[in-house]
Amino acid sequence: MTLFPPFLDDHSIRHRLRLQTLIRLRWLAVLGQSATVLIIAHGYGFDVPEFPSFTLIACSAYLNIFLSVRFPAAHRLPPLGATAILSFDVAQLSGLLFLTGGLANPFSVLLCVPVIISSASQPVRHTLGLGALSVAIVTVLVFYSLPLPWYPDSSFEVPYLLIAGTWIAIVSTTAFAAFYSFQVSAEANQLADALAATELVLQREQHLSALDGLAAAAAHELGTPLATIQIVAKEMEKALADDPRFTDDLMLLRSQSERCRDILKRLSTLSAEDEAHMVRLPLASLIEEVIAPHREFGIAIDVVHEKTGMREPVGRRNPGILFGLGNLIENAVDFAHERVTVTVSHGQDRLDIIIDDDGPGFAPDVLAQIGVPFMNRRNRLDHEKAGGLGLGLFIAKTLLERSGAQLAFSNKQPPQTGARVQVTWPREKMDLFGSGMPQENAAGTG
């Protein structure tokens, strides 16, 4: 029977603490505890029960040796195994504190360390159990412990009020630090999950955009063997033309090889024929491509192109921009009552896309958290409507910011209602031909 069974009760690798981390921390504790006992006993000459103290320290060292031999360095502990080891650490430190003055010992605050480690890496129920064990032990140490080591032939009595204050300090520090560590760890895990989802979405869009290139490459590679088949078929047709047994087969072989040639010809020209469409995308085409999938949901979508006298930007097709803007449009359509307005303007130095809807707008508390992954509602009063602003908006925001955009979220000024999202790029990020120029000077460009 193994001490650390390989089951995954908590279904997530993030709850499997690396064993080597705990081993290194325990070696540090062994060295610190040994040095402290030696300095107090022989440096200051205090009356310290050395043998029992070093016995407890030796137990920690033995556990480290056993775990290092029993498991590989990369082994990750399941939550139950990690909690068992951290519970041992609490018990071992409590034993040392019992021998050296209990809560009067200034090192008693270290009892909160295992709970903090657990809160950063283990499920909540395991951390709560370990915290309850620590509080119970701290409470016992208030009433039961050996005297604080002091100079020979004298004793140091710690006031009970100070002991009670130490108990409160340890318990409150444990609770506060554990909660803070849990929050930081949870937010980091959410961010990691959201970024992983962002990478998957971007990778999928990039794969779709690359299909035309793959088709052309396949056509090029298959062209040579197909040409050889056609030559051989022609030679066989000349040699066996007078033999009726092979006439039908030769005609079929010839016709099918010609059919394959036509198919490969279309594949090889696919990328070239669509290059301008696939690689270069005018701003108007970009907006229409983003909006088109959302026109069939009963919400009117108006597009307003502000006249600036500048040439329309022509950018490179970017799957991240298409997905990001599409997600913003989708959210606007989900929350709009009747209409969504997309306003597009471009000047010499910048390009702006503003998305307005006539819905309830952003709730004030939600507006401050937009872009945080897994925020699953946009308005508390409207949370039953589809299309919450959580992971999807985080992905959209991340992809657009990667393209060089800046996003601003706000509500319309009263008496109007609705949300507004403004996306702004420097023009050079969205225009293959550099800064803007007057429309009349842009003839032949793009």
Side-chain angles (χ1 to χ4, degrees), residues 122-144:
Q122 301 304 302
V124 174
R125 65 178 183 273
H126 291 263
T127 301
L128 291 176
L130 187 63
L133 173 64
S134 298
V135 171
I137 289 177
V138 170
T139 304
V140 170
L141 289 176
V142 171
F143 305 100
Y144 302 100

Side-chain angles (χ1 to χ4, degrees), residues 22-101:
L22 290 181
I23 290 176
R24 290 173 179 172
L25 289 174
R26 190 173 295 102
W27 280 128
L28 184 62
V30 166
L31 293 176
Q33 292 168 359
S34 301
T36 301
V37 172
L38 290 174
I39 292 173
I40 296 299
H42 300 283
Y44 290 94
F46 290 172
D47 186 15
V48 178
E50 292 186 66
F51 179 76
S53 298
F54 277 111
T55 300
L56 290 173
I57 295 172
C59 289
S60 283
Y62 173 77
L63 178 61
N64 261 5
I65 295 172
F66 169 77
L67 294 176
S68 299
V69 173
R70 177 65 179 80
F71 299 99
H75 182 72
R76 289 186 176 273
L77 296 168
L80 190 59
T83 303
I85 290 180
L86 292 172
S87 298
F88 169 85
D89 291 335
V90 171
Q92 188 264 356
L93 180 57
S94 301
L96 285 175
L97 292 174
F98 174 82
L99 295 172
T100 56

Side-chain angles (χ1 to χ4, degrees), residues 333-408:
V333 169
D334 285 341
F335 288 92
H337 294 315
E338 297 179 354
R339 187 173 302 278
V340 171
T341 303
V342 180
T343 305
V344 182
S345 64
H346 52 86
Q348 185 173 356
D349 301 320
R350 58 184 284 175
L351 183 154
D352 293 282
I353 297 176
I354 301 175
I355 303 170
D356 293 309
D357 64 59
D358 59 354
F362 299 110
D365 58 334
V366 174
L367 191 60
Q369 302 180 52
I370 286 181
V372 177
F374 307 112
M375 183 185 65
N376 55 17
R377 66 186 186 278
R378 165 165 158 180
N379 189 318
R380 296 188 182 200
L381 300 177
D382 204 24
H383 66 276
E384 293 183 356
K385 297 194 71 173
L389 294 183
L391 181 58
L393 182 59
F394 173 84
I395 294 175
K397 185 172 181 288
T398 301
L399 292 177
L400 290 172
E401 287 177 345
R402 284 186 177 183
S403 71
Q406 292 183 347
L407 282 76

Side-chain angles (χ1 to χ4, degrees), residues 233-250:
K234 289 180 181 179
E235 294 299 324
M236 292 178 63
E237 188 175 2
K238 291 179 181 179
L240 302 174
D242 298 332
D243 192 335
R245 294 176 303 170
F246 299 106
T247 301
D248 292 340
D249 292 337
L250 289 172

